[in-house]
Amino acid sequence: DDSTLGLGMDRGQRTASLFLVIAVLFSCAGPTVPPPERASEVVDSGIFAEKEKDRKPPQSLPVNPPVQVSFEADPVLYAALSGDGNTLAYVLEKQGRSSLWLRPRDPAPRDPEIAALPQKRLEGVGRITAPALSREGGKVTFVATDYDAKGDIYVLPADMAELSPQRLTGRDTADGAPTFSPDGNRIYFHRLSRGEVLPRLAHIDLNAGAKEPETLREGAFPSVSPDGESLAFVSFEKDSGGDIYVLNLKTGKTTPITTGSAQDLYPTWSANGKWIYFSRFNVDTNGDGVITPGDNAVISRVALEDADLWVHPLTSGTFSAYQPMATSSEVLFLSNRNGAGNLWALPLGGQIPAKEDAQAQMELARILASRLPQQDALAVLAYHKVLENFRQDTIYGGKAAYEMGTLYQRM
């Protein structure tokens, strides 16, 4: 269980370990022999220069490093990726003023005449949050507070700068987290009515004119599957921290995907619809005694074909990674690992590369566990990868689980 990351040794255990190390060092040292007297000599500095030249640089870690995608000086607070993976939308905030920006996912297109610079699409509509793009990037929906301080849903053509956004909801509810259906004709979102405690899922048909939104059930942060038949969302009904569920839009059947004390937020689907990616908060990384979204989030995923619905972490937790967006080849996310919040990317499998067999995957984990300085968080992640890819191998699976538990204790 990842929640044990906070365990460590008490003072007595640390003292005992220290004495054990000292005892071993003394037992291996042998008798002390005074060095022989040597005549003073002049050492040629060229010898040290040759040794320095022959010294090999430290080897890089055999892991996938996060790659920075955006390089904004002002923090990127929210981001979205179109379904085809070609367009990014994100929100910047400077001196309390929000702005909505659009840019290609690839900042260096093959045709150098195509402008690839970020373009400011909107500003001056209050606080802007939670943008989402249609599959081809032709429309963008978002939340703004210009008309209602609680937040309303808006929609806007992405490529027509002269048009103003259309407001879709009113002051009766607090609305958030909009997302498009695959055909771009419907927007799903969550709303909280006056007097209610928990938000509810709702949708509005863009082709129905002034029709009121239709409410579905309790839930928040909806994400539509690529085939448009299911809705992943966060439920707070049984867990105030949030668990991931999937709603079948045809039958109305709801299936729990995650459970437990961890806070699971921001679900999103893989491009093939077989995985659900999300952000998990389950370690008190800021030391305030409680787990909140102010702690480091870990990008995690669940395979829907897995009968046990095991949760597999993809990032180490040494930095915060939240609001994942998956394409056919990578997962993008927000992180402030270099200071200001920006977009980053990793392969779909996360920081730990997948190996060809259980033995090679286990060897990678052992290499990380033995590195100095210690890379315990990455080593734990690597042992998780053994269980993710080779859980059926009872020998290596058992060894990985044991080594992981040992590392948790050391951490």
Side-chain angles (χ1 to χ4, degrees), residues 87-374:
T87 307
L88 284 168
Y90 55 89
V91 174
L92 299 180
E93 187 166 299
K94 185 175 184 178
Q95 297 178 346
R97 188 175 178 87
S98 300
S99 56
L100 176 66
W101 295 72
L102 298 175
R103 55 157 277 189
R105 163 62 185 93
D106 183 1
R110 296 178 181 177
D111 185 351
E113 296 183 0
I114 298 177
L117 294 175
Q119 298 180 356
K120 185 190 292 186
R121 184 63 183 85
L122 190 65
E123 194 177 36
V125 290
R127 186 166 187 263
I128 303 172
T129 61
L133 288 159
S134 58
R135 184 182 289 258
E136 290 78 24
K139 291 181 286 190
V140 58
T141 179
F142 57 93
V143 179
T145 60
D146 185 39
Y147 177 76
D148 178 10
K150 300 188 299 298
D152 290 316
I153 307 297
Y154 289 78
V155 66
L156 179 69
D159 55 355
M160 300 179 70
E162 69 276 6
L163 293 183
S164 299
Q166 177 188 0
R167 182 173 52 82
L168 302 177
T169 60
R171 290 180 172 145
D172 293 338
T173 55
D175 307 310
T179 187
F180 283 101
S181 60
D183 61 11
N185 294 328
R186 180 175 287 182
I187 293 176
Y188 291 87
F189 59 99
H190 66 238
R191 59 182 355 197
L192 183 66
S193 299
R194 187 179 292 108
E196 292 182 338
V197 177
L198 298 177
R200 299 183 66 81
L201 299 172
H203 66 80
I204 189 166
D205 191 338
L206 297 179
N207 297 327
K211 185 178 178 181
E212 281 295 310
E214 180 180 342
T215 301
L216 298 175
R217 54 148 293 151
E218 178 272 337
F221 301 105
S223 176
V224 190
S225 62
D227 60 11
E229 295 183 357
S230 299
L231 200 68
F233 65 96
V234 177
S235 174
F236 301 98
E237 204 167 38
K238 296 181 178 179
D239 178 6
S240 60
D243 292 320
I244 308 296
Y245 282 68
V246 169
L247 170 66
N248 187 308
L249 293 171
K250 290 185 176 180
T251 65
K253 180 183 177 182
T254 300
T255 304
I257 303 300
T258 68
T259 58
S261 60
Q263 299 182 16
D264 298 331
L265 302 173
Y266 311 121
T268 190
W269 296 79
S270 62
N272 60 13
K274 294 183 178 181
W275 296 83
I276 291 179
Y277 289 75
F278 58 95
S279 294
R280 167 163 281 194
F281 302 82
N282 70 331
V283 180
D284 177 23
T285 57
N286 61 13
D288 64 357
V290 292
I291 296 174
T292 69
D295 293 303
N296 286 354
V298 169
I299 300 296
S300 303
R301 69 177 181 179
V302 171
L304 296 180
E305 296 176 350
D306 180 2
D308 297 322
L309 295 174
W310 277 35
V311 174
H312 302 290
L314 305 182
T315 57
S316 64
T318 55
F319 57 90
S320 194
Y322 49 96
Q323 293 184 36
M325 298 156 275
T327 72
S328 59
S329 60
E330 63 182 355
V331 55
L332 285 79
F333 56 91
L334 290 176
S335 179
N336 57 358
R337 55 181 280 127
N338 270 6
N342 267 293
L343 278 160
W344 296 74
L346 278 168
L348 288 173
Q351 288 184 264
I352 305 300
K355 296 299 182 179
E356 63 276 8
D357 55 45
Q359 182 177 355
Q361 198 75 64
M362 190 73 178
E363 181 60 26
L364 173 59
R366 286 171 172 162
I367 289 173
L368 292 174
S370 62
R371 288 293 292 260
L372 292 175
Q374 292 176 349

